[in-house]
Amino acid sequence: MATQSEGRVVYPLRRTFRSSIRLNFNHLLMKEIAGYLINPKIPVSQDNLRVADVGTGTAAWALETAIKYPGVAVDGFDISSEQFSPLYSISNVRLIVHDCFEPFPPEFVGQYDIVHARFWLCLVNNPDAPVLLRNLMTLLKPGGYLQWFEPLAMSVTVWKPDSNMQTPALEQHCKVWAKPKPYTTYEWVEQLPQLFHNHGLEAITTDRHRCGDQHRAMWGQSNLAGYQDLIDENTEGVGNAEEIKKFVGALEVEMKKGASFDTTFLCVIGRKAI
């Protein structure tokens, strides 16, 4: 769900503590669904690994990765520091304000063994994806790995316990996922493996993770929380707040009856040439 300003997609959601709860919840949920922080196809045994987390948000992934791999130095980048978590005693993390669509300062170029990207969907349309990818690749050392994790928005479908059950709100929700605004183009997500190939990244793996029954309600609740952000923000270009409120109410009714939606998440791993 995105708005546009001068050709660039603008982040449509809020950066309040409630928004941070949703991001942290999504982090834990995606880790549970995928089963990893860093894909097991990426080697992490070498000393002095440097990792970049781009679009770090609350830095939940960066902080947990730093704790799990204490010998790794993790830098989290985001256009805003408003949702950065306190580092407490975690000394192997830095959080840096930077627009990841813009060239990175020289001190970060070619410095990272692993670059992690996740949930860029609401900020990236088809023309933006190659621009962002090329910029992220500049962070990689020769032989470094890029891990990119996204929901397959155009493949979201309604799930219901009874085929005769009427689910108009959920069906509309799936359409919103696929194309929230007339200018939205999300084909790039399905095309990520080819995009990696076109930019010279060696294909390591492309994994698809289904949202299972045990996570279905959680993912649905997270989506409702995202709509609540839109209601609170009343963001220009994403719909009237009162209309969204009614829509969310209809979604809640259908979800309480056991209906939901199926989402598959894509994780693509590519390696920069040595």
Side-chain angles (χ1 to χ4, degrees), residues 23-83:
L23 293 186
N24 290 330
F25 177 87
N26 282 346
H27 161 70
L28 295 172
L29 183 57
M30 293 307 108
K31 184 185 69 168
E32 183 71 18
I33 288 172
Y36 54 78
L37 292 165
I38 297 175
N39 190 288
K41 297 288 179 65
I42 299 176
V44 292
S45 58
Q46 61 263 48
D47 296 331
N48 303 314
L49 277 177
R50 291 194 66 185
V51 176
D53 182 31
V54 292
T56 195
T58 63
W61 186 93
L63 293 171
E64 190 165 355
T65 298
I67 292 292
K68 182 171 182 178
Y69 305 101
V72 169
V74 184
D75 289 342
F77 296 91
D78 203 281
I79 196 171
S80 171
S81 63
E82 290 182 50
Q83 291 178 277

Side-chain angles (χ1 to χ4, degrees), residues 158-177:
V158 175
W159 185 94
K160 45 191 173 182
D162 178 354
S163 60
N164 294 318
M165 183 178 179
Q166 299 300 304
T167 53
L170 279 165
E171 287 162 17
Q172 180 61 28
H173 178 65
C174 293
K175 293 177 182 177
V176 170
W177 257 98

Side-chain angles (χ1 to χ4, degrees), residues 11-12 69 95 110 125 129 152 179 201 215 234:
Y11 188 64
Y69 305 101
L95 300 179
N125 286 322
L152 291 171
K179 199 170 184 67
L201 290 171
H215 302 127
N234 199 14

Side-chain angles (χ1 to χ4, degrees), residues 125-194:
N125 286 322
N126 289 348
D128 309 312
V131 177
L132 181 59
L133 176 58
R134 287 192 292 269
N135 213 28
L136 301 188
M137 288 177 63
T138 67
L139 295 171
L140 289 170
K141 295 177 180 178
Y145 294 83
L146 174 59
Q147 173 176 309
W148 198 326
F149 190 99
E150 294 288 346
L152 291 171
M154 300 183 70
S155 303
V156 175
T157 57
V158 175
W159 185 94
K160 45 191 173 182
D162 178 354
S163 60
N164 294 318
M165 183 178 179
Q166 299 300 304
T167 53
L170 279 165
E171 287 162 17
Q172 180 61 28
H173 178 65
C174 293
K175 293 177 182 177
V176 170
W177 257 98
K179 199 170 184 67
K181 299 304 295 180
Y183 56 75
T184 304
T185 50
Y186 286 162
E187 288 85 1
W188 68 269
V189 181
E190 288 277 6
Q191 296 165 5
L192 259 183
Q194 186 62 45

Side-chain angles (χ1 to χ4, degrees), residues 1 22 25-26 29-30 33 119 156-157 159 169-170 173-174 177 211-228 247-256 258-263 265:
M1 301 162 190
R22 175 179 51 80
F25 177 87
N26 282 346
L29 183 57
M30 293 307 108
I33 288 172
F119 282 178
V156 175
T157 57
W159 185 94
L170 279 165
H173 178 65
C174 293
W177 257 98
C211 186
D213 287 349
Q214 74 274 32
H215 302 127
R216 198 183 301 280
M218 300 178 199
W219 179 233
Q221 291 156 5
S222 173
N223 277 244
L224 294 180
Y227 279 122
Q228 187 62 50
F247 177 53
V248 169
L251 284 172
E252 286 187 280
V253 169
E254 292 178 9
M255 289 180 179
K256 285 178 181 178
S260 188
F261 53 98
D262 270 331
T263 308
F265 300 90

Side-chain angles (χ1 to χ4, degrees), residues 193 196-197 200-206 268-271:
F196 275 36
H197 174 77
L201 290 171
E202 176 192 353
I204 302 300
T205 189
T206 297
V268 183
I269 310 296
R271 190 183 189 199

